[in-house]
Amino acid sequence: MSQENTSSIIVVGKLGAPYGIKGWLKVHSFTDDPIGIFDFSPWLIGQQGKWQTLEVVDWRRHNKGFIAKFAQVNDRDEAMAYTHAEISMDAAQLPELPQGEFYWRDLIGMSVVTDKGYDLGIVDDLMETGSNDVLVVKANNKDAFGQAERLIPFLTDSVIKEIKHDAKEITVDWDPGF
């Protein structure tokens, strides 16, 4: 994979320290279901802007995390070279979602407008809270309410009125003064 074509790369975890002498490495999964990281192989391993493919040949639970063995890594010295590397995958490897469902990354960069037509800004990030997810909306430079950013609860029954994927726009029932 060339370094220029990284727009479809998603970081799904990170490799930790070597485990044992046979080339196993600790794995830190960032996926919603931590075991889900093993549904994708090969993994793209990123280090200093360079990408390499590693094939997972075995994995197992270890303490509160996981350890994995790769086809190309056969001893502790080889494993050391991958310590702290990012585990990524190509977005094309993600399964298709049912109609009306989406990945968080699909919402990043979408415009957010109120149901009365006020432009609140662009989705910059999403946060998980205990009760519901929250859109982090970066306000426009000339926001009439002087807001730099807004935190809007992602409540599909009350706040989020419509998500238009093609138009890259989310319509919300929200007071721009908040």
Side-chain angles (χ1 to χ4, degrees), residues 15 23 25 40-47 51-57 69-73 78-79 81-82 85-88:
L15 292 172
L25 282 148
F40 308 102
S41 185
W43 289 349
L44 294 172
I45 304 299
Q47 293 176 299
W51 296 93
Q52 180 180 353
T53 304
L54 285 185
E55 185 183 344
V56 178
V57 291
K69 174 75 176 84
F70 303 96
Q72 303 89 325
V73 182
E78 289 175 8
Y82 296 101
E86 289 183 332
I87 303 167
S88 304

Side-chain angles (χ1 to χ4, degrees), residues 11-80:
V11 175
V12 294
K14 189 173 184 178
L15 292 172
Y19 177 81
I21 59 170
K22 295 184 178 176
W24 289 70
L25 282 148
K26 292 179 181 169
V27 174
H28 305 283
S29 175
F30 301 160
T31 56
D32 274 352
D33 175 10
I35 292 177
I37 196 168
F38 297 104
D39 291 343
F40 308 102
S41 185
W43 289 349
L44 294 172
I45 304 299
Q47 293 176 299
Q48 289 92 39
K50 292 187 171 57
W51 296 93
Q52 180 180 353
T53 304
L54 285 185
E55 185 183 344
V56 178
V57 291
D58 197 7
W59 66 272
R60 63 179 174 250
R61 288 183 183 276
H62 179 70
N63 295 333
K64 292 183 179 171
F66 303 98
I67 55 174
K69 174 75 176 84
F70 303 96
Q72 303 89 325
V73 182
N74 296 305
D75 64 43
R76 189 174 182 87
D77 290 340
E78 289 175 8
M80 282 296 272

Side-chain angles (χ1 to χ4, degrees), residues 5-175:
N5 186 24
T6 57
S7 61
S8 65
I9 299 299
I10 302 164
V11 175
V12 294
K14 189 173 184 178
L15 292 172
Y19 177 81
I21 59 170
K22 295 184 178 176
W24 289 70
L25 282 148
K26 292 179 181 169
V27 174
H28 305 283
S29 175
F30 301 160
T31 56
D32 274 352
D33 175 10
I35 292 177
I37 196 168
F38 297 104
D39 291 343
F40 308 102
S41 185
W43 289 349
L44 294 172
I45 304 299
Q47 293 176 299
Q48 289 92 39
K50 292 187 171 57
W51 296 93
Q52 180 180 353
T53 304
L54 285 185
E55 185 183 344
V56 178
V57 291
D58 197 7
W59 66 272
R60 63 179 174 250
R61 288 183 183 276
H62 179 70
N63 295 333
K64 292 183 179 171
F66 303 98
I67 55 174
K69 174 75 176 84
F70 303 96
Q72 303 89 325
V73 182
N74 296 305
D75 64 43
R76 189 174 182 87
D77 290 340
E78 289 175 8
M80 282 296 272
Y82 296 101
T83 302
H84 306 302
E86 289 183 332
I87 303 167
S88 304
M89 57 181 271
D90 192 307
Q93 289 177 276
L94 290 172
E96 284 291 317
L97 292 176
Q99 184 68 32
E101 290 188 24
F102 44 82
Y103 290 106
W104 272 16
R105 66 183 179 83
D106 297 338
L107 301 179
I108 305 286
M110 281 193 173
S111 304
V112 181
V113 294
T114 68
D115 49 3
K116 296 176 182 54
Y118 187 82
D119 182 356
L120 296 172
I122 303 286
V123 177
D124 190 47
D125 198 5
L126 287 107
M127 295 188 318
E128 253 183 290
T129 66
S131 54
N132 56 270
D133 298 330
V134 174
L135 292 175
V136 179
V137 179
K138 186 173 187 214
N140 302 308
N141 289 340
K142 297 180 178 139
D143 186 79
F145 295 88
Q147 301 284 346
E149 123 180 326
R150 291 180 176 87
L151 302 178
I152 300 176
F154 196 85
L155 300 170
T156 51
D157 51 349
S158 56
V159 178
I160 306 296
K161 294 301 178 191
E162 186 178 14
I163 298 173
K164 300 178 199 154
H165 287 282
D166 295 340
K168 307 270 296 151
E169 184 178 276
I170 301 170
T171 305
V172 295
D173 179 3
W174 193 253
D175 179 347

